[in-house]
Amino acid sequence: MKLLRTRQSTRERLSGRGRRWLTQARAWAADYAYVGYWQVHGFLFRKDPPAYLAPSGGASTGDGSSGDAGRAPVILIPGVYENWQFLRPLAEALSARGHPVHTVAPLGYNRGRIEKMAALVEQYLMQQDLTGAVVVAHSKGGLIGKQLMLLPEGSSRVEKMVAVNTPFSGSVYANFFVLPSIRAFAPRNRFLRRLQRSSDVNARITSVYSRFDPHIPGGSYLPGARNIQLETMGHFRPIGDRRLLAVVEQELDGP
């Protein structure tokens, strides 16, 4: 009888693991289907970024101060090998709520070093004379955003950041890549570890992450920040999830 119960318990554990692996495999496939759709959509149906500087029918002034003067300007920072078009679901929604949404064209597909990309965003903030800005970033974009908040001008011009599925502690999978743009996320990367130790700005960051992220198995929890887990599964799919939009709207409307 004891042997029978042991075998039954083993089968239940294996069955549970099988269901979990199947669920994660489906989530992984759906995640890549999502990113594939938006990469193609962004390439075929491009939209002019200035359209988001005049939200809700407001008139653009051409100096970055367009839109509702009472709404905080939003800076979109995409992840590695993404351009701003990938974040269009957020751009559309936030622009509709009256926020002037800014993109930083020199980032391109965001393949450069984190510190260099942060300097480009800081330069953009200065050129547009933006203050009280809120960064909304995905993946690597969150690392750029944190570095930006540590820079002299970035620190004073950025009020807060919402980072989505950002590898603040790195990703073990980065160790298996030879590309510098991916190896930069290795947990033992010196710049990344130095960025982790710079925790003064963490209180101004909201880290939002998926229940299962196939790219960041260690998760995106950031000590000292506001950490929110979504039930969405995947590294990319949360961008189009209305639950993420609700969190971003709450952060934009809050103190």
Side-chain angles (χ1 to χ4, degrees):
M1 182 64 71
K2 183 177 180 180
L3 179 60
L4 181 60
R5 284 198 299 267
T6 300
R7 288 177 176 174
Q8 183 178 2
S9 177
T10 300
R11 284 197 298 270
E12 289 174 352
R13 286 199 301 271
L14 291 174
S15 178
R17 290 175 184 171
R19 285 194 297 270
R20 185 172 65 253
W21 290 337
L22 181 59
T23 299
Q24 292 179 350
R26 287 173 175 170
W28 199 315
D31 203 35
Y32 276 97
Y34 177 88
V35 71
Y37 168 81
W38 274 104
Q39 292 285 19
V40 173
H41 186 276
F43 180 78
L44 296 178
F45 305 100
R46 296 177 180 271
K47 192 162 184 178
D48 193 11
Y52 298 111
L53 294 178
S56 301
S60 175
T61 64
D63 63 359
S65 61
S66 54
D68 187 340
R71 296 285 187 172
V74 174
I75 310 296
L76 296 181
I77 307 181
V80 66
Y81 296 113
E82 300 170 5
N83 68 4
W84 78 269
Q85 298 273 353
F86 184 72
L87 301 180
R88 271 177 59 183
L90 290 172
E92 297 279 358
L94 297 176
S95 177
R97 283 180 57 84
H99 292 277
V101 179
H102 295 255
T103 62
V104 184
L107 292 178
Y109 279 88
N110 203 1
R111 292 177 292 222
R113 298 192 313 274
I114 292 168
E115 56 269 42
K116 180 181 178 181
M117 299 293 99
L120 289 174
V121 181
E122 184 184 45
Q123 183 179 16
Y124 178 89
L125 291 172
M126 295 167 62
Q127 289 173 344
Q128 300 295 323
D129 194 23
L130 295 177
T131 57
V134 177
V135 171
V136 177
H138 176 240
S139 194
K140 176 187 177 181
L143 300 176
I144 295 170
K146 182 176 179 181
Q147 172 66 11
L148 171 67
M149 295 168 74
L150 294 168
L151 298 177
E153 288 290 334
S155 176
S156 62
R157 294 175 180 274
V158 174
E159 181 179 343
K160 63 179 77 170
M161 175 174 69
V162 179
V164 184
N165 284 342
T166 291
F168 288 111
S169 298
S171 172
V172 293
Y173 295 144
N175 292 317
F176 302 106
F177 287 80
V178 296
L179 290 172
S181 56
I182 302 298
R183 285 193 66 85
F185 308 132
R188 297 184 63 83
N189 178 274
R190 283 184 292 180
F191 177 81
L192 187 60
R193 297 184 75 173
R194 186 165 69 248
L195 194 61
Q196 290 177 43
R197 292 193 295 269
S198 303
S199 59
D200 292 348
V201 300
N202 288 7
R204 293 194 282 145
I205 297 174
T206 296
S207 180
V208 186
Y209 43 88
S210 305
R211 178 163 60 93
F212 166 67
D213 185 338
H215 289 238
I216 313 175
S220 299
Y221 181 87
L222 180 65
R226 184 184 181 205
N227 293 277
I228 300 175
Q229 178 179 285
L230 298 178
E231 286 304 303
T232 317
M233 300 179 74
H235 185 69
F236 304 102
R237 288 174 65 204
I239 297 299
D241 192 322
R242 293 201 61 81
R243 288 171 290 192
L244 171 63
L245 179 60
V247 171
V248 174
E249 289 175 344
Q250 185 180 40
E251 293 302 309
L252 286 168
D253 294 338

